Amino acid sequence: MLIVNEDDSSSQHHEPGLPSPHPTSSYWHNHPSPFLHHHRTTARLPSSADVVIIGSGISGAFAARTLAQERCVDVLMLEAREACWGATGRNGGHCQPLLYGQSADVSAFQLRNFLAISSLVRDHGVACEWEEMEAGGCHAFFSGPSFEDAKREVEELRTCNPDLGALVRVISQKMELAELRVPNAVGAIVQTHAAKLSPYKLVSWILEALIKQSKINLQTSTPVLCLSPSDGSSEKWNVQTARGTITTSHVLFTTNAYTGRLLPRFRDLVVPVRGQMSALTPTEVLLKEPLIHTYSFMGIESQAVYEGYLIQRPISSAPGDKGQLMFGGARSLARHKGMYVDNDDSIDEPVAKYLRSKLETFLDIESDKPVVSSFGSTFAQEKRNELAAEKEWTGVMGFSRDGFPWVGAVPEMTGLWISVGFTGHVDRQTYMFWQGMPNAALSAQHAACLIVAASKGESWRGQEQNAVKEGNIPFCYISSRERMERAEKLPQVRTLGQLIHPLYGLLLMGLQAAINAPTIFPKRLQITTKPGNSFFDDQLDRTRDRPFLLNDTVDKREWLVPELSVALHIALAWASKQLGHSDALNRTLQGAVSGTAVRLHITQL
C-alpha cells in the first residue's frame, strides 16, 4: 500500500522533475565505461525512429536487446544523464527472487528472471562481478511477529508449490543464526538463488554490445521534455527534447520513478522514493573470511523500525576490489522517509550515520567463529566506532501504488508502452529493496515483444494473453485501464501503522530491551482500524496492565508509563483523527483504561 509523507498536500498528483544533473556519486560509477561516457552514437539527434526507448537502465537495456534480437533495426535510446546513471546504477547490487510471501506465479517469474540473467552472464562471460551465493540469501528478522509471519508464508508456499518451497529454509536455532552471522536475530529465512553483481557493469556490457553491432542509437544527456501526437495523428508521436524532436510510432517508457512526468495518469500510480546506499570499509575479519550470503534485515531498535540490505564486494588484486560492504536502507530516518523525493543530488545525514554505525546491530562483523547471544543482550549496544565510508549516495526508485510493476501498453494511448514500477512489495516495503533486478529484465523483454508484434500488425493483445498463460509475465503486472481504475481507488494516505510512526516505534518498541515486555503490532497495526479485531483485542488484553517506556526521539527523553493502554489510546486517537476512523477505533478501544496523565512530547505531532 502506498505511503505518503506527513504533508499530504505535497504528495497529491506529484509531478516528478527531470533527473538531477548533479547527482551524488555512486560507487558503481567509480570506473565508468569509457565507451559509454558522454556517448552519442550519432552527432545529430535523428528526426525519426521506429522505436524510442526512454531510459538506459536494466529495463531499457534488456528491451533494446530484445528488439535487436527481433530484428527491429531503428531503435533510439534517450537518456537524460549518462548511461545507466539512474536507479540501476545506484542500487545495492542484489539479484534475488523473493520466493515466499507472494503469489507463486510472481515468485516463479522472478526466479526465471534470475536464471535468465545468470545464463546471459555465464554464456557471454559478462564481467559484471556476478557471483551466485552457494549458501544463499539470508533474510534476518529482529521481531518475533514478523518472523512468525514469514514462517507462515513459507509453510503456505510449501503447501501450494512444493518445488519453490524446497528452495527455502527456516532458521530459528541460536547456533544456526550465529553461523549465519546474525546472532541477535529472532530467526531467519535462507533461500537459494541469490547473487551479487555490479548492475552498472551488466547494463554497460549490453549497451556497448548493441551499439558496436549498430543495433541501437544511444543519445546521452538528452532528457525528454514532453510527448504529443504527431500532427494530431493517433498513429505517431513526437518526442520532444532540448536537442530536437523525434517522430516515432512506438515509445517505450523505462523511466520508473520519473514516469509521471511524461504520463500524467501515472503520477499517483508510480511515485518516486529515494533510497540511500554506502560502500563501507570491511573489518579485518571480513577481509579474511568474506561473507558467504547476501543479507536483508528487518530490525527493531528501542525507538523505531529500520531495515537494511547488504552484500560484500569481491576481494582481489584488481583495482578497487577491497571487499567493500555495500550496505543500504534505513529509509525510516530519511526526510519524509524518502517518499516523493525525486532527486538524488544529496544524502540524508541521519541515514548515512546509521549505515556507517549500525551494521553490527544486525551482523556479527568481528567474530571469526559463531557467537551465540540472546536477543536484546547486545542488540542495542554501541560496540565500535563507525565504519569508514568510501562512498555514500542516493538513488530514486519507483514505488507502484498497488505493489506490482506496470508492464505493457499504456491504456488508451496507442503506440505508448511501459515497463516501470519495480520497487516495493505489497507487504514488505520496509525491508525488501531489491525487487528491481529480479523483475525488470523479463518484464522489459515482454514489453519489447509486444512492440514487435504491434509493429508487424499482429495482435499484441493475443501475445500478451499467451505470455500470461505460459508464465512469461504475471497477470498482476499487466498494464490495463481496469487495473489503473482499481489502483486509483486505493488509499493514498499511509496505513494506520505507518501514520503512527514515529509513535509506532516509540510506543511499541521502546520497552523491549528495557523491561522485556512483548513487542506488538510490528507490521500489522493497520488492521486495528477494524472493530472487533481479535488480534488487536488479544494483544491489548495481554499488555493492558504492563508498564513501558515512552520515548521521545527528538528531545531524547523518556517516561515510564504505568499502562500501555494509556499511551496507545493517545496514539490511536491521534491516528483516527488523521484517518477519519474515530468511530471504529472508539469501539475497538472500549474498556481500555484511561485517566492516567502522560506527558507526551513528540514535536512531529
Side-chain angles (χ1 to χ4, degrees), residues 502-559:
L503 283 179
Y504 178 50
L506 302 178
L507 297 176
L508 305 179
M509 309 306 173
L511 71 168
Q512 182 146 0
I515 57 177
N516 198 31
T519 300
I520 65 172
F521 319 134
K523 187 175 74 171
R524 297 174 174 269
L525 195 55
Q526 63 269 22
I527 66 177
T528 64
T529 58
K530 300 178 181 179
N533 185 283
S534 59
F535 177 86
F536 175 88
D537 293 338
D538 290 346
Q539 297 291 348
L540 183 60
D541 286 341
R542 283 202 294 269
T543 56
R544 181 191 306 278
D545 299 324
R546 295 197 183 199
F548 72 107
L549 293 176
L550 173 63
N551 299 283
D552 174 3
T553 57
V554 176
D555 290 343
K556 306 299 181 185
R557 294 187 292 174
E558 60 185 20
W559 299 267

Side-chain angles (χ1 to χ4, degrees), residues 20 34 57 75 133-135 161 236 247 251 272 317 352 355 410 456 472-473 537:
S20 171
V75 179
M133 314 303 289
E134 293 184 6
N161 193 314
K236 289 186 178 292
T247 301
V251 181
S317 58
L355 295 177
V410 176
K456 294 178 178 178
N472 293 329
I473 193 76
D537 293 338

Side-chain angles (χ1 to χ4, degrees), residues 224-332:
V224 175
L225 304 178
C226 65
L227 281 86
S228 60
S230 178
D231 297 326
S233 169
S234 60
E235 300 297 325
K236 289 186 178 292
W237 292 89
N238 287 336
V239 181
Q240 183 178 337
T241 77
R243 298 174 56 217
T245 299
I246 307 101
T247 301
T248 182
S249 298
H250 300 281
V251 181
L252 174 58
F253 296 84
T254 63
T255 42
N256 216 26
Y258 300 96
T259 303
R261 177 177 177 81
L262 299 173
L263 295 174
R265 183 124 185 230
F266 276 86
R267 287 175 188 168
D268 294 330
L269 298 179
V270 178
V271 300
V273 180
R274 191 168 82 174
Q276 190 156 319
M277 276 293 302
S278 63
L280 304 176
T281 301
T283 60
E284 290 297 325
V285 168
L286 294 185
L287 285 173
K288 296 176 181 177
E289 297 185 19
L291 299 176
I292 62 173
H293 300 86
T294 62
Y295 289 90
S296 65
F297 309 110
M298 182 172 179
I300 301 172
E301 285 195 330
S302 61
Q303 297 178 346
V305 178
Y306 302 127
E307 77 291 331
Y309 40 98
L310 173 74
I311 66 166
Q312 185 173 12
R313 287 200 62 251
I315 301 173
S316 74
S317 58
D321 284 359
K322 301 177 182 178
Q324 292 89 345
L325 301 172
M326 311 298 279
F327 186 36
R331 189 168 59 84
S332 303

Side-chain angles (χ1 to χ4, degrees), residues 80-195:
R81 302 187 291 198
E82 296 291 345
C84 196
W85 228 246
T88 303
R90 298 176 170 274
N91 69 24
H94 291 258
C95 188
Q96 181 179 175
L98 181 59
L99 298 180
Y100 61 97
Q102 58 186 356
S103 62
D105 64 326
V106 172
S107 294
F109 176 74
Q110 292 183 3
L111 180 56
R112 290 186 62 184
N113 269 267
F114 177 93
L115 296 174
I117 295 175
S118 177
S119 287
L120 173 67
V121 172
R122 182 179 61 253
D123 294 347
H124 295 276
V126 181
C128 64
E129 301 178 18
W130 176 271
E131 181 182 351
E132 296 183 24
M133 314 303 289
E134 293 184 6
C138 174
H139 309 164
F141 296 84
F142 294 85
S143 75
S146 293
F147 183 50
E148 291 301 317
D149 287 343
K151 288 197 298 183
R152 187 189 68 253
E153 291 163 352
V154 170
E155 288 305 313
E156 292 172 355
L157 174 67
R158 290 171 175 168
T159 299
C160 70
N161 193 314
D163 291 338
L164 287 177
L167 305 178
V168 181
R169 291 190 298 130
V170 177
I171 307 297
S172 57
Q173 296 299 316
K174 281 296 178 182
M175 181 56 72
E176 291 183 274
L177 293 171
E179 291 172 350
L180 291 171
R181 288 192 174 274
V182 287
N184 294 326
V186 174
I189 306 296
V190 176
Q191 65 171 58
T192 62
H193 298 90

Side-chain angles (χ1 to χ4, degrees), residues 207-479:
L207 295 180
E208 287 183 24
L210 292 173
I211 294 168
K212 291 174 181 178
Q213 296 166 15
S214 300
K215 300 295 186 181
I216 65 168
N217 182 337
L218 171 64
Q219 297 286 321
T220 62
S221 300
T222 308
V224 175
L225 304 178
C226 65
L227 281 86
S228 60
S230 178
D231 297 326
S233 169
S234 60
E235 300 297 325
K236 289 186 178 292
W237 292 89
N238 287 336
V239 181
Q240 183 178 337
T241 77
R243 298 174 56 217
T245 299
I246 307 101
T247 301
T248 182
S249 298
H250 300 281
V251 181
L252 174 58
F253 296 84
T254 63
T255 42
N256 216 26
Y258 300 96
T259 303
R261 177 177 177 81
L262 299 173
L263 295 174
R265 183 124 185 230
F266 276 86
R267 287 175 188 168
D268 294 330
L269 298 179
V270 178
V271 300
V273 180
R274 191 168 82 174
Q276 190 156 319
M277 276 293 302
S278 63
L280 304 176
T281 301
T283 60
E284 290 297 325
V285 168
L286 294 185
L287 285 173
K288 296 176 181 177
E289 297 185 19
L291 299 176
I292 62 173
H293 300 86
T294 62
Y295 289 90
S296 65
F297 309 110
M298 182 172 179
I300 301 172
E301 285 195 330
S302 61
Q303 297 178 346
V305 178
Y306 302 127
E307 77 291 331
Y309 40 98
L310 173 74
I311 66 166
Q312 185 173 12
R313 287 200 62 251
I315 301 173
S316 74
S317 58
D321 284 359
K322 301 177 182 178
Q324 292 89 345
L325 301 172
M326 311 298 279
F327 186 36
R331 189 168 59 84
S332 303
L333 293 175
R335 184 173 182 269
H336 298 312
K337 303 172 182 61
M339 295 300 301
Y340 295 91
V341 179
D342 59 16
N343 69 80
D344 50 14
D345 53 10
S346 64
I347 64 172
D348 286 288
E349 185 52 40
V351 177
K353 181 176 178 59
Y354 179 87
L355 295 177
R356 293 192 302 265
S357 62
K358 294 293 187 178
L359 180 55
E360 196 172 15
T361 297
F362 300 113
L363 192 74
D364 179 5
I365 59 177
E366 293 290 3
S367 301
D368 55 6
K369 60 182 179 180
V371 176
V372 179
S373 65
S374 60
F375 178 63
S377 61
T378 61
F379 186 73
Q381 294 178 13
E382 297 284 351
K383 295 178 17 179
R384 61 172 294 114
N385 296 324
E386 293 183 358
L387 293 172
E390 291 189 27
K391 279 285 181 73
E392 297 171 318
W393 68 97
T394 51
V396 184
M397 306 169 284
F399 269 32
S400 170
R401 183 165 175 175
D402 66 3
F404 299 106
W406 295 80
V407 184
V410 176
E412 301 172 352
M413 303 186 80
T414 302
L416 301 188
W417 313 84
I418 55 172
S419 188
V420 299
F422 292 107
T423 306
H425 185 265
V426 174
D427 292 322
R428 299 192 183 280
Q429 288 179 348
T430 53
Y431 67 100
M432 295 296 186
F433 277 102
W434 29 254
Q435 289 298 291
M437 294 300 293
N439 271 310
L442 294 189
S443 293
Q445 176 178 297
H446 170 73
C449 288
L450 298 185
I451 293 174
V452 171
S455 65
K456 294 178 178 178
E458 300 173 357
S459 171
W460 64 265
R461 293 185 186 276
Q463 179 155 332
E464 184 173 71
Q465 292 170 357
N466 289 335
V468 171
K469 290 179 182 178
E470 295 170 4
N472 293 329
I473 193 76
F475 177 75
C476 58
Y477 288 17
I478 298 299
S479 172

